[in-house]
């Protein structure tokens, strides 16, 4: 009887109008990639959908335009289906109810893990071990936090090239024998790097899939989640739910999660930025690693330090003092564009930029560097042309004077 009642209700549901179909499509598409999205994108995707279905909608005598799209969005906002961002009350930013609920669950679960564990080492024990290592200060602080915290979730924010993987190798030697490390990462390349350091590792998605098929106890396990800035809301929601279920339903004890990432690196392909959200919410203790280790030559390392601290003029000045031939083996190439090489006449090569960009905090910094460099070159070129014009004018004036 209940099934028949449900079918009866469904059969009498009012069919969606053209504009409702267009807006629903737009919201579904955008919410798969972003937790919050621009109002203009919502309108644009809805209009594109309407264009693809123009003939179908025309036969029904329906149209889709900005006014009825806006009216549909306002109706959805009134029912709570979509929400206008608190910091974007000018109407240019939207999110979905599902995204808000997902992020609320994540924050709640992480907060419930505060002061729920015993520390693995005392403060004195951790300091004694770390003093005997050659780790940089940031690496030591990360190891100290992970071994002395009483929280289930902690974070390690480290710039690229600061030795996060090396730090994990040292951490493995510090832990009590009954504690094992499971290193997860979003990409196979990151997993390969972790495995090369002797760490048991796998992708986060494969771990979640395996646990979904046959959940294994995670007691006495420290889960390190590398490249956490690339993790989506959906995956991190599943991970925190799994941890909660392990603790509350299966009685697993001493489960720890360490989020290791760089908020300036690539973000998740799917929607959400849980790593950045946790950083800004201050719900987790955070260790910071800022000592660049990847660049061995001092001049390049200094350039990286300037860049990550947004001192672009200092970066360009330092790079201008570097001779790329000291670090790069050049091969003759007849097809090389000499005009491009000429424009970088202050000895800044693309190869140096490539080494620099492998460890900076934000790829946009590289774009700014190229922009400043190109603008500087264009300005020099214009000044040179102006000087040539002035010289020509002066010569012509002298000739005219001599002829008199």
């Amino acid at each position: 009887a209940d099934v028949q009642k449900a079918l009866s209700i469904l059969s009498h549901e009012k069919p969606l109008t053209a504009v409702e179909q267009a807006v629903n499509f737009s919201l579904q598409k955008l919410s798969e990639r972003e937790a919050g999205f621009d109002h203009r994108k919502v309108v644009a995707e809805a209009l594109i959908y309407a264009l693809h279905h123009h003939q179908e909608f025309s036969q029904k005598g329906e149209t889709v335009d900005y006014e009825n799209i806006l009216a549909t969005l306002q109706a959805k906002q009134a029912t709570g289906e979509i929400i206008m961002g608190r910091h974007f009350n000018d109407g240019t930013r939207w999110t979905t109810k599902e995204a808000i609920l997902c992020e609320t669950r994540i924050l709640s679960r992480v907060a419930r893990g505060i002061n729920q564990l015993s520390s693995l080492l005392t403060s004195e024990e951790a300091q004694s071990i770390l003093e005997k290592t050659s780790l940089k200060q940031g690496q030591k602080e990360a190891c100290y936090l992970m071994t002395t915290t009483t929280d289930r979730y902690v974070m390690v924010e480290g710039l690229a090239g600061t030795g996060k993987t090396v730090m994990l190798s040292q951490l493995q030697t510090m832990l009590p024998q009954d504690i094992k490390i499971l290193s997860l990462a979003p990409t196979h390349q990151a997993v390969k790097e972790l495995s090369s350091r002797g760490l048991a590792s796998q992708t986060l998605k494969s771990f979640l899939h395996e646990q979904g098929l046959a959940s294994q106890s995670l007691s006495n396990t420290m889960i390190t989640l590398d490249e956490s800035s690339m993790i989506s809301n959906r995956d991190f929601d599943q991970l925190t739910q799994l941890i909660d279920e392990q603790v509350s339903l299966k009685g697993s004890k001493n489960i720890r999660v360490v989020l290791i990432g760089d908020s300036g690196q690539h973000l998740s392909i799917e929607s959400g930025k849980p790593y950045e959200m946790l950083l800004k919410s201050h719900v987790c203790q955070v260790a910071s690693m800022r000592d660049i280790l990847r660049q061995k030559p001092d001049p390049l390392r200094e350039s990286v330090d300037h860049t990550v601290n947004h001192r672009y003029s200092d970066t360009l000045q330092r790079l201008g003092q570097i001779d790329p031939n000291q670090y790069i083996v050049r091969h003759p190439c007849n097809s090389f564009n000499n005009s491009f090489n000429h424009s970088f006449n202050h000895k800044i090569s693309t190869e140096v930029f490539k080494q620099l960009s492998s460890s900076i905090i934000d790829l946009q910094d590289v774009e700014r560097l190229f922009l400043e460099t190109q603008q500087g070159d264009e300005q020099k070129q214009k000044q040179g042309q102006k000087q040539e014009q002035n010289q020509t004018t002066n010569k012509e004036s002298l000739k005219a004077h001599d002829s008199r």
Side-chain angles (χ1 to χ4, degrees):
D2 291 339
V3 173
Q4 290 297 328
K5 183 178 179 180
L7 289 174
S8 176
I9 292 172
L10 289 173
S11 64
H12 289 87
E13 278 188 352
K14 185 180 178 181
L16 295 176
T17 64
V19 67
E20 288 173 336
Q21 293 179 48
V23 170
N24 286 351
F25 172 83
S26 176
L27 293 174
Q28 183 177 359
K29 179 179 179 180
L30 292 173
S31 61
E32 287 178 354
R33 300 293 297 269
E34 301 174 271
F37 30 85
D38 189 83
H39 176 73
R40 290 170 297 180
K41 289 184 179 179
V42 178
V43 174
E45 291 294 343
L47 290 173
I48 291 171
Y49 180 88
L51 285 173
H52 284 298
H53 295 79
H54 174 70
Q55 186 175 358
E56 174 189 344
F57 294 159
S58 295
Q59 291 174 353
K60 296 179 180 179
E62 297 184 72
T63 59
V64 177
D65 54 33
Y66 178 77
E67 285 72 20
N68 58 18
I69 289 175
L70 184 59
T72 303
L73 289 173
Q74 290 171 342
K76 289 181 177 293
Q77 183 185 15
T79 62
E81 184 178 344
I82 58 174
I83 301 167
M84 189 182 295
R86 179 167 48 180
H87 301 294
F88 299 91
N89 56 7
D90 58 352
T92 62
R93 201 76 175 175
W94 295 98
T95 188
T96 63
K97 180 180 179 180
E98 289 74 15
I100 295 293
L101 291 174
C102 178
E103 293 183 350
T104 301
R105 288 194 301 269
I106 291 172
L107 288 169
S108 176
R109 290 168 185 155
V110 172
R112 284 202 298 269
I114 296 174
N115 291 325
Q116 293 300 303
L117 305 172
S118 299
S119 63
L120 297 175
L121 299 176
T122 65
S123 176
E124 293 76 15
E125 289 172 336
Q127 288 179 350
S128 176
I129 295 172
L130 291 170
E131 285 174 358
K132 300 173 185 177
T133 69
S134 59
L135 297 178
K136 295 292 184 180
Q137 184 60 31
Q139 293 173 312
K140 289 181 179 180
E141 290 176 2
C143 288
Y144 179 86
L145 173 62
M146 289 185 283
T147 54
T148 62
T149 186
T150 58
D151 296 346
R152 193 176 307 282
Y153 295 88
V154 296
M155 303 179 73
V156 176
E157 165 76 354
L159 305 179
T162 53
K164 295 188 286 289
T165 307
V166 174
M167 176 271 297
L168 286 177
S169 298
Q170 175 62 47
L171 173 68
Q172 199 168 27
T173 66
M174 296 176 61
L175 297 179
Q177 291 185 352
D178 62 332
I179 302 296
K180 59 184 178 181
I181 293 180
L182 174 60
S183 296
L184 305 178
T187 65
H188 289 284
Q189 182 60 40
V191 168
K192 184 178 179 181
E193 174 66 19
L194 292 166
S195 298
S196 69
R197 295 284 182 176
L199 297 164
S201 55
Q202 67 182 112
T203 63
L204 173 60
K205 285 190 179 294
S206 68
F207 170 75
L208 293 174
H209 179 69
E210 289 176 4
Q211 288 289 325
L213 294 176
S215 181
Q216 301 295 321
S217 174
L218 297 174
S219 290
N220 297 322
T221 301
M222 178 182 287
I223 298 174
T224 63
L225 188 53
D226 199 21
E227 295 187 348
S228 294
S229 60
M230 297 179 66
I231 304 301
S232 67
N233 275 353
R234 181 188 303 172
D235 286 345
F236 197 66
D237 184 32
Q238 289 183 27
L239 177 63
T240 55
Q241 180 182 357
L242 170 65
I243 301 301
D244 264 21
E245 290 175 351
Q246 284 270 335
V247 174
S248 60
L249 301 180
K250 297 183 178 297
S252 298
K253 299 179 179 180
N254 208 10
I255 307 176
R256 302 163 184 271
V257 179
V258 182
L259 305 177
I260 304 172
D262 175 4
S263 56
Q265 283 193 319
H266 299 294
L267 300 178
S268 168
I269 295 176
E270 299 179 45
S271 71
K273 304 175 185 178
Y275 181 82
E276 183 178 340
M277 176 182 68
L278 292 172
L279 270 181
K280 291 181 177 180
S281 67
H282 305 292
V283 72
C284 292
Q285 296 184 73
V286 183
S288 181
M289 297 171 55
R290 298 189 65 84
D291 298 314
I292 304 296
L293 306 179
R294 188 173 295 169
Q295 273 70 23
K296 298 304 180 183
D298 289 338
L300 289 181
R301 189 182 304 155
E302 290 175 20
S303 300
V304 171
D305 289 335
H306 290 321
T307 304
V308 298
N309 289 294
H310 308 291
R311 298 191 298 267
Y312 306 117
S313 297
D314 293 336
T315 300
L316 291 170
Q317 183 179 3
R318 194 68 187 94
L319 286 174
Q321 300 168 358
I322 297 174
D323 181 2
N325 293 311
Q326 295 179 7
Y327 312 111
I328 301 162
V329 178
R330 296 188 177 279
H331 301 284
C333 179
N334 295 329
S335 62
F336 187 76
N337 188 342
N338 289 325
S339 63
F340 179 82
N341 191 36
H342 176 72
S343 68
F344 286 81
N345 53 23
H346 45 287
K347 293 185 178 180
I348 300 180
S349 77
T350 53
E351 301 296 338
V352 174
F353 273 111
K354 188 181 295 184
Q355 292 199 28
L356 172 70
S357 64
S358 66
S359 290
I360 64 172
I361 189 170
D362 191 338
L363 291 177
Q364 291 180 350
D365 293 336
V366 178
E367 296 175 4
R368 295 190 191 101
L369 283 169
F370 274 109
L371 182 60
E372 290 184 18
T373 303
Q374 290 172 345
Q375 288 174 343
D377 290 336
E378 289 173 0
Q379 188 174 0
K380 287 180 181 179
Q381 187 177 5
K382 289 179 181 179
Q383 289 175 350
Q385 290 174 351
K386 189 173 181 180
Q387 289 175 358
E388 290 179 2
Q389 290 174 357
N390 291 337
Q391 290 174 0
T392 302
T393 303
N394 291 337
K395 288 179 181 179
E396 290 175 352
S397 298
L398 287 172
K399 287 180 181 179
H401 178 76
D402 292 341
S403 64
R404 292 180 191 147

